[in-house]
Amino acid sequence: MAGQENTRTVLDDVLPEWHRRERHRLAVDAPAPAVIQAARDLTWGEVPTFRRIMAAVSLGRVKFPADAAVLDLFLGNGFEVLHHSDSELVIGGIERVSRGEAVVALGSDPVGAFRAFDRPRHILLGFDFRFADGVLTTETRVRATDARTRKLFGVYWFVIRAGSGFIRHIWLRGIRRRVASGSPGRPAEDPAEH
């Protein structure tokens, strides 16, 4: 695992500087392409605790259908796949720090637009799933485009960080269960998740 820490990732190229970061990892015994595909295809029905938390946080305003992919929540709300390979999946989006405003559209060159974005009162959010040497890692990075936004987001991060970490662990375990099931369908639920 020490070698993995020194390996440059696509996320390093897409969002090399950040103000907040969170990383989690889990051993998975499977080929890289299967692990990354499971990360892409994992459904809400496969992670019921994550689903209940998100439903509670949204106060019931957002629906989380059991057969919908978890990542589709992000992709359906303006985030984009910035990279997808057999060993790494990177998702990114730019949000204005005010309720009710849509995620900034990244256009025909999403990676270039994401890297270059610097308008004030926005945050750039990038996260990935990487698989190397039998370890699935997810990392989230957030960069604010100005000092005031960085302070505001810092308060929000302080409030949500523990819950976010808990959710990431659930997400990683769900991916591992999906891979272990050997099928694209829904694997058995993990009793530890209830």
Side-chain angles (χ1 to χ4, degrees), residues 15-172:
L15 194 55
E17 297 178 11
W18 64 90
H19 297 114
R20 303 288 176 200
R21 177 176 76 168
E22 182 174 0
R23 291 185 292 179
H24 301 280
R25 64 187 60 220
L26 184 69
V28 179
D29 184 18
V35 174
I36 296 303
Q37 193 61 48
R40 177 62 188 93
D41 296 339
L42 184 74
T43 66
W44 289 108
E46 294 169 282
V47 283
T49 301
F50 185 3
R51 184 181 182 196
R52 285 191 293 273
I53 290 168
M54 294 300 288
V57 168
S58 76
L59 302 174
R61 292 184 307 244
V62 179
K63 301 299 178 203
F64 302 92
D67 61 345
V70 172
L71 282 181
D72 286 350
L73 172 70
F74 296 92
L75 300 177
N77 285 297
F79 282 70
E80 297 195 34
V81 174
L82 301 179
H83 175 82
H84 187 188
S85 70
D86 285 348
S87 61
E88 194 168 0
L89 175 64
V90 180
I91 309 294
I94 302 169
E95 294 186 357
R96 183 174 167 88
V97 182
S98 69
R99 292 263 180 213
E101 294 212 22
V103 173
V104 174
L106 296 176
S108 61
D109 177 17
V111 173
F114 189 81
R115 282 186 194 140
F117 191 88
D118 65 354
R119 288 197 326 249
R121 299 196 337 236
H122 288 78
I123 59 168
L124 285 76
L125 176 85
F127 67 94
D128 71 357
F129 291 97
R130 291 184 313 278
F131 187 73
D133 303 322
V135 178
L136 174 61
T137 305
T138 183
E139 181 173 348
T140 300
R141 294 181 183 180
V142 181
R143 180 171 63 84
T145 56
D146 61 83
R148 182 174 185 274
T149 302
R150 184 174 57 208
K151 287 178 188 173
L152 288 171
F153 187 80
V155 171
Y156 174 73
W157 186 262
F158 178 78
V159 171
I160 64 129
R161 184 149 192 246
S164 175
F166 177 65
I167 285 170
R168 299 291 182 197
H169 285 286
I170 292 170
W171 203 341
L172 290 174

